[in-house]
Amino acid sequence: MIVSLSFGRWLALGGLLTIFVTAGHPALAQTEKKPASSAAKAKKKKPPVRAKKATPEPGDDLGEEEEVEKAPKPKKQTRAQKAKAEKEKKAQEKAAKAEKEAADKEAKAEKARAAKEKKAKAKKGKGKGKGKKAAPPPEEARIVVLPFDGPNGKRLRGDVVSSLSKVEGVADVTEENSKRENSADAAIALANEQQASAVLYGTASKKRGQIVLDVVMRNGTDGQVLGEASFKGPTVQKVKQQVDTNLPIELAEAIERAKPTPEPEPEPPPEEDPEAVATEEEKEKEEEPEAEEEAPAAAAKGRPSPLEIWLGFRGFDRDFSYNEDLSQFENGVAEQSTYGGPGAAGFLSLRWYPVAHTKGGFLSHLGLQGGYERGFLTRAKSPTGRELDVTYQEFFIGLRGRIPIAKHELGVSASYGQHEFTIQDDDVLLPDVNYGYLRPAVDGRFRFGKGLVGFSLGYRNVLSAGQIQDDDWFPNSDVGGIDAGLFGGYTPTGSYDLMAGFDMRRYYYSLNPDPGDPRVAGGAVDQYLGVWLGVAWRLAGSKD
């Protein structure tokens, strides 16, 4: 009885425990209710992992569990799937690259449009001169004047400084109180110290009762002499007047050459074409022709003088004589006459270069030349001592090309001319001559400071000689000729030259007589020796 009662109590206790567990865990209750077949299937499927929260949060029931499902493991891809994924990745990269290129192109086009608008605004602001660069402002010379040597040097130096300050093109005149050597190196060093473009030296002296002031201007860049000038007078006041009047003229060319050369403005960068993106090599090829086209403009120099006129007077002596005694002929040289005599003439000549009026370059050195000379107070003396009146004249016209070499000049010319010497009231003893000739020639002129020397040399291809080749004289004669000259001069200003020279014109004959000719001689010489004084004037060119 006792055993049975105890067994019943255990059964009741087990039932209560089962109810309690089932009420607290419904999943277990459901599991127990499932049939055996469902339980077998559930064994194959893993239940969700139940994990307790490490720390209970407010509002949570103590002892309550939270279910967390683990993420499923990735499935293993096949080869086809890998290939497809790789293809999609490449397509995405290609699309991204194309999008980046399109964005870069758009940014570049936007930059080009902005530059174009900026340039258009700049052009609009230039008014009538649009499309052209504004000319840079002219640079001016800065000159340092050193102490003048000699008596009255200090007084004259102040006047030179005052006169230089008034010259157009001079920005500043500075007086340097320390003495410096008159040399290229010293001038360069001083110019660098003073930031000057030229250095002026001066020496005052007394010569033959005159006060003389000599000044020399040197280039501050290379130390070379740019120009020299001299002023003199019986008193210091007279010399000052000379300085005030003539110094701006005497040193005008030197001051112009002393001006610093302005640097050209940089060219704007070329516009980019928004429609095409050129490679670096293509850009270089496009820029090279532009540099070649701009080179001649940068190297262009100014216009040379387009016109030069010479005017002067010549004194000469003419000598005509036969040679070679052909005594075997019936009429020997005893009947021939020789004669000579002095003469004087005035002359005018010019050289004109039409292209040089408007521009420089090769064509500006090709021009025309011409001249005329007319005798006066000219007489010829016959073998008997009788003096006869003479008509003497010469003219020429032709082409000339000049070759400038720094301050010097060489010339090449070709001319046609006539040279006439006609004796009045004599048709028996003295033949008239009228030489028509073609003359190729060379000449030169070399300048050294204010001094100059020159030469000329020509050949006269005589086409006809006038009466002397008539039947009454020497019809079979042949004639040739040459001329030559030397001269020197002084340049008081930049436009005038005072000159003096010596020249010779010589015609030589082969008379070629035949037996029975009225006059017989083997040859003859007709020579003119002269000295001359003259002045040359030049129309100024331009250094633009």
Side-chain angles (χ1 to χ4, degrees):
M1 186 66 181
I2 297 171
V3 174
S4 300
L5 182 60
S6 299
F7 183 75
R9 288 179 179 178
W10 283 107
L11 287 174
L13 183 61
L16 291 172
L17 181 61
T18 303
I19 293 170
F20 176 78
V21 172
T22 304
H25 300 279
L28 291 176
Q30 291 177 2
T31 304
E32 289 179 358
K33 292 179 181 180
K34 286 182 180 179
S37 59
S38 298
K41 290 181 181 178
K43 276 185 179 180
K44 294 181 182 178
K45 200 172 185 182
K46 291 185 178 180
V49 178
R50 295 170 185 166
K52 287 186 179 180
K53 290 185 180 179
T55 305
E57 294 180 1
D60 290 347
D61 294 333
L62 291 176
E64 195 175 65
E65 295 179 349
E66 193 175 65
E67 295 182 358
V68 179
E69 292 188 1
K70 290 185 178 180
K73 291 183 179 180
K75 295 181 180 180
K76 192 174 182 179
Q77 292 182 334
T78 62
R79 290 183 180 179
Q81 290 174 334
K82 287 182 178 180
K84 184 177 180 182
E86 187 70 23
K87 187 174 181 181
E88 291 178 354
K89 184 179 179 181
K90 288 183 179 179
Q92 291 174 356
E93 290 177 353
K94 187 175 182 180
K97 185 178 180 180
E99 186 177 353
K100 186 176 182 299
E101 289 179 354
D104 292 344
K105 185 176 179 180
E106 181 64 25
K108 199 169 188 179
E110 184 64 28
K111 185 178 179 181
R113 282 194 294 270
K116 191 173 182 180
E117 290 175 2
K118 185 177 180 181
K119 185 174 181 180
K121 289 180 181 179
K123 285 184 178 180
K124 187 175 180 181
K126 290 181 181 178
K128 296 182 180 180
K130 62 181 179 180
K132 297 182 180 179
K133 293 191 300 181
E139 297 290 339
E140 295 185 328
R142 297 188 71 251
I143 302 173
V144 176
V145 182
L146 289 168
F148 287 3
D149 297 326
N152 302 308
K154 186 174 182 180
R155 297 172 63 187
L156 293 172
R157 179 196 185 196
D159 193 63
V160 169
V161 170
S162 175
S163 181
L164 279 175
S165 302
K166 301 174 184 176
V167 176
E168 183 178 355
V170 176
D172 184 32
V173 181
T174 304
E175 295 185 60
E176 172 62 33
N177 294 326
S178 62
K179 288 190 176 182
R180 302 293 180 96
E181 180 184 1
N182 186 354
S183 66
D185 293 339
I188 295 171
L190 180 58
N192 290 335
E193 292 175 11
Q194 301 285 352
Q195 298 297 312
S197 52
V199 180
L200 187 75
Y201 300 82
T203 302
S205 60
K206 289 187 177 181
K207 298 177 182 178
R208 298 181 181 179
Q210 296 277 326
I211 297 174
V212 180
L213 174 63
D214 297 310
V215 296
V216 177
M217 181 178 290
R218 288 186 178 272
N219 195 338
T221 303
D222 56 12
Q224 297 300 312
V225 174
L226 296 173
E228 298 175 322
S230 182
F231 313 94
K232 60 183 179 180
T235 64
V236 174
Q237 189 61 33
K238 292 291 185 182
V239 176
K240 285 186 175 182
Q241 292 175 3
Q242 288 285 321
V243 169
D244 291 336
T245 304
N246 297 329
L247 184 138
I249 300 173
E250 296 286 342
L251 295 181
E253 184 176 354
I255 293 171
E256 184 68 25
R257 292 168 58 195
K259 292 181 181 180
T261 304
E263 296 183 0
E265 291 185 353
E267 291 288 341
E271 296 183 12
E272 295 182 356
D273 185 1
E275 301 298 328
V277 180
T279 62
E280 291 299 326
E281 293 182 358
E282 290 173 344
K283 287 182 180 180
E284 291 176 0
K285 290 180 181 178
E286 291 174 0
E287 290 171 359
E288 285 175 1
E290 294 179 1
E292 291 177 359
E293 292 175 1
E294 292 175 1
K301 296 182 180 178
R303 296 183 293 106
S305 171
L307 179 65
E308 186 172 350
I309 299 175
W310 296 39
L311 178 67
F313 295 94
R314 171 181 284 106
F316 67 91
D317 181 76
R318 191 230 185 174
D319 178 70
F320 185 95
S321 60
Y322 297 100
N323 56 43
E324 297 185 21
D325 181 1
L326 301 181
S327 55
Q328 70 271 27
F329 287 84
E330 182 177 351
N331 298 318
V333 295
E335 295 186 8
Q336 311 306 327
S337 298
T338 61
Y339 57 91
F347 65 86
L348 172 70
S349 64
L350 63 85
R351 296 167 179 172
W352 179 45
Y353 305 90
V355 176
H357 284 284
T358 57
K359 62 181 180 180
F362 172 76
L363 294 179
S364 67
H365 297 294
L366 300 180
L368 305 174
Q369 67 173 3
Y372 180 73
E373 181 174 339
R374 178 76 180 187
F376 61 92
L377 303 177
T378 304
R379 302 179 68 80
K381 192 174 183 179
S382 70
T384 60
R386 179 186 173 193
E387 290 188 349
L388 305 171
D389 292 331
V390 170
T391 299
Y392 172 82
Q393 63 182 0
E394 181 174 9
F395 75 86
F396 68 92
I397 187 170
L399 304 175
R400 183 176 188 269
R402 59 184 169 187
I403 307 171
I405 306 173
K407 297 184 294 183
H408 314 309
E409 179 182 309
L410 294 177
V412 179
S413 61
S415 305
Y416 170 78
Q418 288 188 6
H419 184 190
E420 177 185 358
F421 196 98
T422 301
I423 303 171
Q424 307 296 330
D425 301 325
D426 181 77
D427 296 327
V428 179
L429 295 177
L430 307 176
D432 297 334
V433 293
N434 188 359
Y435 303 105
Y437 59 83
L438 295 175
R439 178 181 179 266
V442 295
D443 62 84
R445 180 170 51 195
F446 308 94
R447 297 184 180 276
F448 305 95
K450 288 186 171 294
L452 65 91
V453 294
F455 76 93
S456 65
L457 180 64
Y459 169 72
R460 301 194 175 199
N461 180 27
V462 178
L463 306 177
S464 62
Q467 184 187 37
I468 195 172
Q469 290 183 317
D470 290 348
D471 291 340
D472 294 337
W473 293 90
F474 302 99
N476 301 320
S477 62
D478 296 322
V479 191
I482 60 171
D483 61 71
L486 293 173
F487 63 90
Y490 173 75
T491 306
T493 70
S495 299
Y496 291 90
D497 295 323
L498 302 177
M499 297 180 294
F502 162 84
D503 58 23
M504 177 269 293
R505 303 167 195 176
R506 182 182 178 90
Y507 301 93
Y508 43 87
Y509 289 80
S510 293
L511 298 177
N512 304 317
D514 290 332
D517 282 352
R519 293 175 175 81
V520 177
V525 173
D526 187 7
Q527 180 170 276
Y528 304 77
L529 299 178
V531 293
W532 57 272
L533 296 172
V535 59
W537 171 81
R538 294 181 304 282
L539 180 63
S542 170
K543 294 186 178 182
D544 298 337

